[in-house]
């Protein structure tokens, strides 16, 4: 067994395409309209092509060219008008009842209402859309609708929406030949927070031992054998959970967070010495909060970063490939936001779903963003992001074979069929609460969860 | 075009020509017209002036009509009456000098009109035809609804009664009607016109004939019937000579009547009066002047020089008509079948035009089915003009580029027309019609033509009277669009515009434009809201944020030109913005239920709708007084105006006003019950029968039985109601009785429409009742009577004292109560009592009981009512207090504050927020320590420069007056400095200037420390935080805390929290020492200069050991800013209603305007600092 471990580990043919997420040069904060505009420009031609294929007889019209009652197709960006959407202007309204109402709303965790309405906008103008369930959309989605303009100047939709088709994505041959080769996805170690409890510290060590093969030893348990075939570890966010020390902070808490960082550095040093590891930034990590999150600063990992070849600090989203299998993943903020501002939920997964029921909403939301061909359409409307001027890096240009989101409640996986075949969609659970890691076999794209207890 | 049907009324040549230029009467139009009258067919039909033939025919119709009538009609628009009008209405005082100046200007204009009239019509036709061809009218949807529905069948005056709701009443001077007009006068007569709408939405113009202007003069008892004719002839001579010996019959008749004067109680039943009937309304004042100055009449008092006091000689003719015919503003009028005649040849654009004699009108009181509102058309408008850089748009130079118009029918919630007229092409807008024109003249023409065709009853908008309408009219004049300013309902009558000064005690002095637009009521929402609500800002943005709860995108006028000069899409963007702005006034009108409230007010007080916005309170009281006096056979004396009364002194009340009990300031933690006098002044006037007609002259007092009179604490005597009831008490009784009924009905009502009407009514009644007292006290008013007003307040004062005494004597521990009651404060009509019980329910019970106990000692209907309890209560000084208001024992209703700096518009937001929060903490949370802590934290944040920047911004208006003051003012100085920096973006007169106070050189004057917030942000200019602390925060906070903390000053403003301060480093651009400074990197951790930049650009050697921690700190600030940036800028993107277009809004009224700018800057800086960590 030991020799098998040696063979697989450390050998993977992998590269990233994260340049588009990098904020380099002068970071100038302008406005958001260019981001929306670039998004529309990127996705519109593709959506038009889809629409032509589906409704060959209906002309494609701009919103400004709509003629009353003429059946036609419009392509543009969705804007969802929501009465309950929290807005910054509320800060200026002091009202007791509002506070109570707010509290209830937050408790509910979802801001959707029956009377949410959709507006639809192309580069020319905006029109109200009727006949569509607003709950199925979030602001920022680009799509095509077929319908006709009413005499009141609204657009009555007659068929389901059509999105940009999937592009690219090598149809890599899946084969069961040879030994399994796993990519291990983990997220939410949360050192400095939950992850630093005594019980979790022990489990963290188990995880390190597991991926480095230290626990293999003499055991021949199936899972341990699998561990030996891990060729890449990806930490999908949530590695640290430390509060930024403020000026008034006591030295105690500063020391605590310094200890957590050190602990993590040691963990990654151990892992990186044995297997390549990508560490993505996540919601609670000490980096910038707005999407795309920049890689964690190497200063946190003075030891681990010595392993230049195997220790990689990555952006969120993170786009990479392992043995020609393309991966795209986030640390989960995109999924959380879609779930907060739409009614997409557990019922929307396909029959091929596997995993914990609790993961169904996340998998459904993630699958939907794949169909929308956009990693985070609700950014910037409800999800903070950088106001890019020249591009929308969140547009999915090349459809990944594996698409995942970290820091979720539970494990779940589904297969989403599309123009370019099929993509494996994975919800990666938080390790600190579940003790689970996900293994994906890059030969077969089979996927399963392993619990370290 | 139908040239043959000669409908244009043959203009009459009269003496106007001669009078021109010389006479000083206002509004006498005139021209020497002997050209062939050119009749034109019914131009009521709306023509879509597109490039087709119909268009040019419509324009030709207009032009022809204009050419034939402009300058030749002598018909005179006299809405606000004869030249006597200004005398009558103090509120709408028009400075005489100004009027004379205007007169000259007007006459000059008149001559220009004549010139216009002489242009070659054929040439004009050719020109318009050609221009019609160049206009690009974008294909619009079906416009059938743009004109009013045609009548189902023609109105038959023999079999159909005509029923309509009148909205506007005015009169013209015209030839008397052949059959209906009075034949007594030899010349012209006044014809009343009523404009309105039927239940089916058809517009009506009714010409009412035969109503002659008249007034009264008191004559000696021996004046006989036989003297009447002599008197008439003599008076006629005098009037004639006053009019430069113009021949004619001015005084039509003199008859004798027995009546009573309203003024003073008199034992005499009645006295002899001469009713003097005049030929025309504007002759009344001349005759009045002669009578009051005195003249001699053979046979009367032996022909000696005699003066004759006049009565009701200053009543606007239209109001006189309404009073005599029982017509009130906005009521329903019925003309019975057979009693009126349908006009075959219309002179107005109305669908129905009839003639009727004044005595055939049936005026329905606004009750039952006649309380409804007709479906009248409301047109809301907003224009955009392309100003040049650095200048406010000027009609002489800058084009009108868009006119957005919305038309709504009263009672429906969706507009029937949404259209925008644009100069140059414009991409289509769903749900709206876009009409585009290459030529601005054509645009104006087309809109004018649309206006006539659409035939609205009401014109609304925001600041239309002082901006949009004058701009359109001036612009059309500049461009020479002669056929544009025909907006009124009378065919061929131009809109006239003049400057007025409106001055009123209640509403202050305003300069404004007055635009005559016959038959259409103008309702400027700005004016209405300014009258009815106290707001810190009246910009459309602030108003819609306040009432509709939404921010409005505000595009600066310099950005407007850029959009206009862009593409059809950018112009479309502008059009969408313009349409929104046209829709807002309509939404405000609906939201504030203005139609219901104002029509109710017009009905209750009996004045025409348009008086409500253009006149003050007194005309409303006068209207009621006239109606009541008429019923009692009484006459209202004309009081000669005091000379030399300048505007400043106007309304100055010379008697002692309401006093208040000394406030025992403090913080009360036990419940404080408040007893209020319901409608205090009206009920005093009713209880003590205070009226003109009950006032006993001093010399009469001794002659009356003391049982029958009452003497007020001010020393004036009035007879009691059992002897004779006063008119004012009667008016008040009716108003308050009606209000009671309306409130009772309101409770029962379920239909929201009915509720709206009733609520509007009860409010109107309340306001009217309260204005009666003010009317008697207005020293330069029409009928001041200080005996009444000073007696009223004197009674009020004694009642407050009386209440205090009774309460404090009864509620004592000696009498078995829990504590000794103490009246801690008394305002005009309320008394605050501390019963010294900690129990809320007990305080309420005692309050209730005390109210009844004290009320019993007052005359009816004076009543003291228990309304509320304040608990806790913070009494700062008189007229300044705050407390939690309770009306039940379960939960407080709200926090009530009075006289505390929460809404003053020239304060910065910081003060308001701090004061509000402090009061909330003290009163709601009862957490004084928390409030102190909050103040300390806020002060610390202020000194550390951590506050939201927009909280520090102060705004002040840049007005002409401010500019011309000698005194240097912070915002004016700033405007000048900004002009030096960049004339293009500097504020101009009319803008509001926003500024912050920055640190300047030592000993700098306060006005030198003002700076443009954006400039201050860009250049990191340090805020003078101490200035904010000393000048803005200290006083209001000390006022609040002094009653609570004994060492407030030292706790709040000295101590640990004031020790740390932070200041940004100014950029070199800001001048001063920074121009010479060399910037060197300093350690992010400890600010020490970095000696070895190769080692690290961010930290010094020492701090480098803790690089991770310093990095995390730097990140924390970036993260907070990133989130703010996101929420702020997505909000702007949402508010402007587009994702793909850049945010242009520059609304400085918006709370996030500066914040979003600051976050942009802070974030860019913070991100740059982060970069120094070599990432």
């Amino acid at each position: 067994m030991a020799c098998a471990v040696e063979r697989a580990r450390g050998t993977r043919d992998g590269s990233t395409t994260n340049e588009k997420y990098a904020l380099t040069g002068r970071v100038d904060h302008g406005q958001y309209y260019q981001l929306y505009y670039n998004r529309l420009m990127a996705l519109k031609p593709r959506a038009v092509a889809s629409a032509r294929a589906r409704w060959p007889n209906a002309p494609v019209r701009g919103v400004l060219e709509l003629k009353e009652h003429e059946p036609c197709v419009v392509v543009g960006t969705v804007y969802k008008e929501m009465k309950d959407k929290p807005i910054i202007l509320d800060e200026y309204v002091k009202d007791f009842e509002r506070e109570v109402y707010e509290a209830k709303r937050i408790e509910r965790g979802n801001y959707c209402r029956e009377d949410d309405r959709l507006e639809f906008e192309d580069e020319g103008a905006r029109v109200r859309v009727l006949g569509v369930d607003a709950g199925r959309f979030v602001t920022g989605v680009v799509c095509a609708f077929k319908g006709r303009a009413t005499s009141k100047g609204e657009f009555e939709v007659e068929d389901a929406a059509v999105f940009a088709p999937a592009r690219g994505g090598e149809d890599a041959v899946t084969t069961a030949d040879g030994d399994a080769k796993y990519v291990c996805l983990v997220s939410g170690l949360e050192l400095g927070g939950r992850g630093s409890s005594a019980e979790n510290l022990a489990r963290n060590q188990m995880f390190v031992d597991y991926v480095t093969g230290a626990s293999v030893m003499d055991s021949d348990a199936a899972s341990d054998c699998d561990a030996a075939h891990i060729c890449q570890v990806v930490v999908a966010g949530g590695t640290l959970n430390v509060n930024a020390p403020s000026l008034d902070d006591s030295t105690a808490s500063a020391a605590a967070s310094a200890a957590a960082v050190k602990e993590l550095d040691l963990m990654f040093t151990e892992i990186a010495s044995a297997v390549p590891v990508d560490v993505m930034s996540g919601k609670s990590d000490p980096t910038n909060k707005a999407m795309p999150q920049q890689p964690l600063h190497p200063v946190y990992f003075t030891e681990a970063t010595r392993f230049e070849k195997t220790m990689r600090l990555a952006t969120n989203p993170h786009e990479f490939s392992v043995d020609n299998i393309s991966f795209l993943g986030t640390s989960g903020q995109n999924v959380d936001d879609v779930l907060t501002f739409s009614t997409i939920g557990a019922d929307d997964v396909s029959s091929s779903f596997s995993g914990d029921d609790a993961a169904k909403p996340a998998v459904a939301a993630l699958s939907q963003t794949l169909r929308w061909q956009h990693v985070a359409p609700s950014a910037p409307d409800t999800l903070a992001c950088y106001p890019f001027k020249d591009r929308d890096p969140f547009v999915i240009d090349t459809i990944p074979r594996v698409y995942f989101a970290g820091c979720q409640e539970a494990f779940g996986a589904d297969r989403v069929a599309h123009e370019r075949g099929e993509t494996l969609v994975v919800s990666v659970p938080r390790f600190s609460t579940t003790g689970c890691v996900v293994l994906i076999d890059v030969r077969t794209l089979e996927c399963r969860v392993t619990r370290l207890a | 075009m139908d040239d043959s049907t000669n409908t244009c009324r043959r203009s009459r040549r009269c003496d106007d020509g001669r009078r021109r230029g010389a006479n000083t009467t206002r509004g006498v139009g005139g021209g020497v017209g002997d050209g062939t009258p050119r009749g034109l067919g019914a131009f009521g039909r709306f023509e879509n002036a597109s490039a087709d033939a119909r268009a040019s025919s419509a324009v030709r119709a207009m032009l022809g009509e204009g050419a034939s009538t402009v300058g030749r009609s002598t018909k005179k628009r006299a809405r606000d009456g004869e030249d006597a009008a200004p005398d009558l209405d103090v509120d709408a005082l028009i400075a005489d000098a100004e009027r004379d100046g205007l007169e000259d200007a007007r006459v000059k204009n008149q001559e220009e009109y004549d010139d216009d009239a002489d242009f070659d019509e054929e040439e004009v036709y050719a020109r318009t035809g050609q221009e019609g061809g160049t206009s690009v009218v974008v294909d619009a949807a079906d416009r059938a609804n743009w004109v009013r529905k045609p009548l189902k069948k023609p109105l038959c005056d023999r079999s159909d009664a005509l029923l309509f709701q009148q909205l506007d009443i005015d009169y013209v001077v015209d030839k008397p009607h052949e059959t209906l007009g009075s034949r007594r006068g030899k010349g012209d007569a006044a014809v009343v016109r009523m404009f309105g709408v039927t239940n089916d939405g058809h517009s009506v113009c009714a010409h009412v004939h035969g109503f002659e202007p008249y007034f009264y003069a008191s004559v000696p008892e021996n004046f006989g019937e036989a003297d009447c004719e002599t008197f008439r002839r003599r008076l006629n001579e005098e009037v004639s000579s006053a009019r430069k010996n113009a021949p004619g019959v001015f005084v039509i008749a003199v008859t004798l009547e027995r009546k009573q004067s309203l003024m003073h109680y008199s034992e005499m039943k009645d006295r002899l009066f001469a009713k003097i009937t005049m030929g025309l309304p504007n002759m009344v004042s001349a005759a009045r002047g002669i009578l009051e100055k005195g003249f001699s009449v053979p046979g009367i008092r032996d022909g000696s020089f005699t003066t004759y006091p006049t009565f009701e000689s200053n009543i606007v003719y239209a109001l006189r008509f309404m009073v005599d015919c029982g017509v009130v503003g906005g009521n329903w009028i019925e003309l019975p079948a057979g009693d009126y005649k349908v006009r075959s040849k219309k002179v107005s654009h109305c669908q129905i035009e009839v003639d009727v004699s004044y005595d055939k009108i049936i005026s329905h009181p606004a009750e039952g089915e006649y309380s409804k509102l007709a479906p009248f058309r409301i047109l809301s408008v907003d224009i955009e003009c392309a100003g040049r850089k650095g200048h406010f748009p000027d009609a002489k130079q800058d084009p009108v580029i868009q006119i957005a118009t919305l038309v709504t029918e009263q009672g429906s919630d969706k507009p029937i027309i949404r259209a925008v007229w644009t100069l140059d092409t414009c991409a289509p807008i769903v749900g709206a019609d876009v009409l585009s024109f290459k030529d601005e003249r054509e645009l104006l023409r087309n809109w004018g033509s649309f206006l006539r065709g659409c035939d609205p009853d009401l014109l609304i908008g925001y600041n239309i009277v002082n901006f949009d309408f004058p701009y359109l009219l001036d612009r059309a004049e500049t461009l020479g669009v002669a056929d544009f300013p025909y907006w009124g309902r009378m065919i061929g009558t131009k809109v006239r515009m003049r400057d007025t000064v409106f001055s009123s005690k209640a509403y202050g002095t305003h300069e404004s434009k007055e635009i005559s637009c016959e038959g259409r009521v103008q309702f400027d929402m700005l004016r209405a809201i300014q009258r009815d609500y106290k707001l810190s800002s009246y910009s459309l943005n602030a108003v819609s944020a306040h009432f509709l709860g939404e921010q409005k995108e505000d595009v600066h006028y310099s950005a407007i030109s850029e959009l206009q000069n862009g593409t059809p899409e950018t112009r479309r963007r502008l059009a969408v913005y313009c349409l929104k702005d046209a829709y807002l006034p309509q939404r405000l009108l609906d939201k504030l239920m203005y139609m219901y409230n104002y029509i109710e007010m017009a009905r209750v007080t009996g004045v025409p709708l348009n008086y409500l916005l253009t006149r003050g309170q007194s005309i409303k009281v006068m209207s009621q007084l006239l109606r009541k006096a008429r019923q009692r056979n009484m006459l209202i004396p004309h009081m000669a105006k005091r000379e030399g009364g300048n505007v400043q002194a106007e309304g100055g009340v010379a008697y002692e006003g309401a006093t208040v009990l000394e406030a025992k300031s403090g913080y009360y933690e036990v419940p404080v019950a408040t007893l209020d006098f319901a409608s205090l002044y009206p009920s005093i006037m009713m209880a003590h029968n205070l009226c003109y007609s009950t006032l006993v002259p001093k010399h009469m007092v001794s002659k009356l039985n003391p049982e029958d009179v009452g003497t007020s604490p001010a020393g004036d005597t009035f007879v009691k109601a059992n002897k004779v009831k006063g008119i004012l008490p009667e008016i008040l009784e009716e108003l308050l009785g009606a209000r009671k009924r309306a409130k009772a009905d309101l409770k029962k009502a379920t239909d929201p429409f009915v509720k709206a009407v009733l609520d509007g009514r009860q409010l109107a009644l309340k306001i009217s009742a309260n204005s009666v007292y003010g009317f008697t006290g207005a020293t330069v008013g029409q009928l001041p009577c200080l005996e009444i007003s000073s007696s009223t307040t004197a009674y009020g004062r004694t009642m407050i004292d009386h209440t205090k005494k009774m309460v404090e004597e009864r509620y004592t521990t000696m009498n078995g109560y829990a504590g000794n009651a103490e009246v801690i404060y008394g305002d005009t009509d309320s008394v605050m009592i501390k019963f010294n019980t900690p129990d809320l329910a007990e305080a309420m019970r005692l309050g209730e009981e005390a109210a009844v106990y004290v009320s019993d000692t007052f005359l009816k209907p004076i009543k003291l009512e228990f309304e509320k309890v304040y608990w806790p209560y913070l009494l700062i000084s008189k007229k300044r207090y705050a407390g939690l208001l309770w009306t039940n024992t379960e939960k407080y209703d709200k926090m009530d504050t009075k006289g505390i700096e929460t809404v003053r518009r020239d304060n910065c937001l910081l003060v308001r927020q701090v004061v509000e929060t402090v009061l909330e903490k003290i009163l709601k949370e009862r957490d004084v320590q928390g409030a102190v802590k909050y103040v300390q934290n806020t002060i610390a944040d202020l000194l550390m420069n951590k506050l939201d920047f927009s909280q520090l911004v102060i705004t002040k208006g840049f007005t002409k007056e401010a500019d011309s003051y000698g005194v240097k003012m912070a915002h004016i100085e700033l405007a000048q400095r900004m002009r030096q920096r960049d004339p293009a973006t500097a504020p101009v007169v009319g803008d509001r200037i926003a500024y912050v106070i920055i640190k300047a050189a030592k000993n700098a004057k306060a006005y030198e420390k003002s700076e443009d917030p954006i400039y201050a942000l860009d250049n990191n200019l340090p805020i003078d935080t101490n200035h904010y602390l000393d000048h803005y925060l200290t006083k209001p906070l000390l006022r609040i805390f002094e009653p609570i903390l004994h060492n407030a000053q030292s706790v709040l403003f000295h101590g640990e929290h004031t020790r740390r301060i932070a200041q940004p480093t100014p950029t070199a651009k800001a001048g001063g020492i920074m121009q010479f400074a060399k910037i060197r990197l300093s350690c992010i951790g400890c600010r020490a200069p970095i000696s070895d930049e190769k080692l690290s650009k961010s930290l010094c050697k020492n701090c480098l050991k803790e690089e991770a921690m310093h990095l995390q700190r730097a990140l924390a600030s970036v993260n907070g800013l990133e989130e703010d940036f996101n929420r702020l800028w997505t909000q702007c993107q949402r508010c402007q209603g587009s994702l793909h277009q850049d945010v242009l809004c520059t609304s400085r009224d918006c709370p996030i305007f500066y914040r979003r700018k600051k976050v942009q800057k802070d974030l860019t800086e913070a991100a740059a600092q982060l970069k120094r960590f070599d990432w």
Side-chain angles (χ1 to χ4, degrees), chain A residues 24-361:
Chain A
T24 49
R26 212 170 96 83
V27 182
D28 192 15
H29 282 77
Q31 294 189 14
Y32 280 119
Y33 70 100
Q34 287 138 313
L35 180 69
Y36 280 121
Y37 189 78
N38 289 324
R39 177 183 309 177
L40 182 65
M41 289 304 108
L43 289 173
K44 187 175 175 177
R46 290 164 61 182
V48 167
S50 281
R52 288 235 162 89
R54 174 149 179 169
W55 304 298
N57 297 323
V60 177
R61 297 264 181 244
V63 171
L64 290 176
E65 304 156 3
L66 288 177
K67 289 183 192 132
E68 229 176 274
H69 308 311
E70 181 206 40
C72 64
V73 171
V74 287
V75 185
T77 312
V78 164
Y79 175 76
K80 185 154 134 187
E81 211 180 287
M82 302 173 80
K83 292 219 171 85
D84 281 356
K85 182 150 65 182
I87 63 171
I88 197 156
L89 291 172
D90 288 349
E91 280 179 18
Y92 299 88
V93 184
K94 263 193 194 163
D95 195 317
F96 178 75
E97 298 204 359
R98 200 171 181 103
E99 282 167 30
V100 173
Y101 186 65
E102 279 290 319
K104 278 189 188 157
R105 212 170 68 176
I106 289 162
E107 205 178 276
R108 217 171 47 193
N110 186 298
Y111 294 108
C112 295
R113 280 176 32 159
E114 285 283 304
D115 59 355
D116 290 346
R117 291 186 306 197
L118 286 194
E119 306 252 344
F120 198 60
E121 182 178 332
D122 63 12
E123 57 273 46
R126 195 178 258 208
V127 66
R128 168 147 298 149
V129 169
L130 305 176
V132 181
D133 176 6
R136 312 296 304 161
F137 291 85
V138 294
T139 295
V141 169
V142 173
C143 65
F145 286 122
K146 181 184 173 287
R148 54 188 86 204
T150 68
S151 51
K152 283 182 191 160
E154 291 149 336
F155 190 80
E156 182 86 47
V157 174
E158 291 163 352
D159 202 349
V162 160
F163 307 103
R167 274 210 313 210
E170 296 307 311
D171 280 330
V173 194
T174 56
T175 164
D177 287 354
D179 285 327
K181 206 169 179 185
Y182 293 118
V183 168
C184 172
L185 299 177
V186 65
S187 72
L189 297 169
E190 298 192 18
L191 264 79
R194 269 184 297 229
S196 286
S197 69
E199 168 196 353
N200 274 354
L201 281 176
R203 199 161 62 185
N204 290 345
Q205 192 54 50
M206 280 175 71
F207 166 65
V208 173
D209 293 347
Y210 173 70
V211 293
T212 55
S215 65
V216 175
M217 299 298 181
D218 309 315
S219 160
D220 54 4
S223 66
D224 292 343
C225 288
D226 293 340
H229 296 279
I230 294 171
C231 66
Q232 170 81 56
V233 173
V234 177
V235 183
T239 43
L240 274 167
N241 189 354
V242 289
N243 291 321
S246 76
L247 289 172
D248 313 333
D249 245 5
S250 63
T251 41
S253 78
S257 85
V261 171
K262 187 127 195 86
E263 170 81 26
L264 197 64
D265 190 16
L266 284 176
M267 274 178 74
F268 286 146
T269 309
E270 272 191 73
I271 297 172
S273 66
V275 59
V277 55
D278 289 358
V279 177
M280 292 163 62
S281 299
K283 201 174 178 181
S284 61
D285 291 312
T287 180
N288 65 321
K289 286 277 178 292
M291 299 287 278
Q293 284 187 295
Q294 298 305 293
L296 289 165
H297 198 282
V299 72
Y300 299 121
F301 309 112
T302 46
E303 294 301 319
T305 44
R306 288 169 200 255
F307 294 88
E308 280 175 23
K309 287 195 174 138
T310 48
M311 174 77 184
R312 188 158 63 183
L313 293 165
T315 54
N316 168 32
H318 181 29
E319 197 177 295
F320 61 99
S321 62
V322 177
D323 287 2
N324 281 332
I325 297 296
S326 54
F327 282 72
L328 173 58
T330 69
S331 300
Q333 294 100 318
N334 57 337
V335 168
D336 298 345
D337 206 57
V338 166
L339 291 177
T340 312
F341 291 98
S342 75
T343 57
I344 292 165
D347 298 341
D348 298 310
V349 294
S350 80
S351 54
S352 59
F353 175 86
S354 64
D356 198 323
D357 275 357
K360 279 184 173 174

Side-chain angles (χ1 to χ4, degrees), chain B residues 633-678:
Chain B
N633 201 33
M634 281 181 163
L635 293 176
I636 298 173
H638 168 249
M639 289 205 175
K641 226 163 136 188
R642 280 161 186 75
E643 292 301 318
N646 65 26
V647 178
Q648 292 299 318
E650 175 171 329
V653 180
Y655 53 90
E656 197 185 350
T659 45
V660 288
L661 289 178
E662 198 54 48
K664 295 177 184 165
S665 55
Y667 177 56
Y668 296 90
E669 289 185 276
V670 294
V672 172
T674 307
L675 305 190
D676 291 294
F677 287 103

Side-chain angles (χ1 to χ4, degrees), chain B residues 958 970-980 986-988 993:
Chain B
F958 186 1
H971 64 296
I972 305 298
E973 292 295 302
L974 173 61
Q976 277 164 9
R977 261 178 283 141
M978 289 172 75
R979 209 146 39 218
Q980 283 163 12
V988 295
I993 301 177

Side-chain angles (χ1 to χ4, degrees), chain B residues 869-899:
Chain B
V869 165
Y870 285 116
W871 181 46
Y873 185 60
L874 177 64
L875 181 57
I876 294 166
S877 63
K878 69 178 187 182
K879 307 218 177 210
R880 279 185 205 272
Y881 57 79
L884 277 196
L885 191 155
W886 299 72
T887 54
N888 62 68
T889 53
E890 300 297 310
K891 172 148 184 27
Y892 61 80
D893 298 56
K894 60 170 180 178
M895 190 171 85
D896 200 18
T897 63
K898 200 174 171 196

Side-chain angles (χ1 to χ4, degrees), chain A residues 23-25 27-33 36-37 40 64 77-79 85-89 91-92 94 96 121-127 139 152-153 242-247 254 261 286-290 295-297 299-300 380-385 387, chain B residues 141 414 427-431 551 569 572 891-892 909 913 916-917 920 948 950 1060 1107-1109 1111-1113 1115-1116 1118-1119 1122-1131 1133-1134 1137-1143 1150-1152 1155 1160 1163-1164 1167 1171 1173-1175:
Chain A
L23 303 177
T24 49
V27 182
D28 192 15
H29 282 77
Q31 294 189 14
Y32 280 119
Y33 70 100
Y36 280 121
Y37 189 78
L40 182 65
L64 290 176
T77 312
V78 164
Y79 175 76
K85 182 150 65 182
I87 63 171
I88 197 156
L89 291 172
E91 280 179 18
Y92 299 88
K94 263 193 194 163
F96 178 75
E121 182 178 332
D122 63 12
E123 57 273 46
R126 195 178 258 208
V127 66
T139 295
K152 283 182 191 160
V242 289
N243 291 321
S246 76
L247 289 172
V261 171
T287 180
N288 65 321
K289 286 277 178 292
L296 289 165
H297 198 282
V299 72
Y300 299 121
D381 193 48
T382 47
L383 181 60
C385 79
Chain B
K414 280 261 163 74
I429 300 168
V430 273
Q551 290 289 334
E569 280 71 35
R572 175 187 184 278
K891 172 148 184 27
Y892 61 80
L909 211 63
Q913 223 159 54
E916 263 175 21
T917 314
E920 255 171 47
D948 175 3
S950 51
R1060 287 182 79 126
E1107 192 176 0
M1109 190 187 79
L1111 175 64
Q1112 281 186 46
R1113 274 188 195 152
L1115 276 168
V1118 167
N1119 287 338
E1122 271 182 347
E1123 189 185 334
D1124 266 8
F1125 174 88
N1126 177 258
R1127 294 178 65 205
L1128 289 163
W1129 282 95
T1130 49
Q1131 178 56 40
Q1133 209 79 47
R1134 288 175 199 153
S1138 162
L1139 301 175
H1140 301 136
Q1141 282 162 339
D1142 52 338
V1143 175
C1150 178
I1152 65 175
R1155 202 171 150 195
Q1160 226 167 12
L1163 185 52
T1164 305
K1171 285 273 170 218
F1173 281 95
D1174 234 352
W1175 208 333

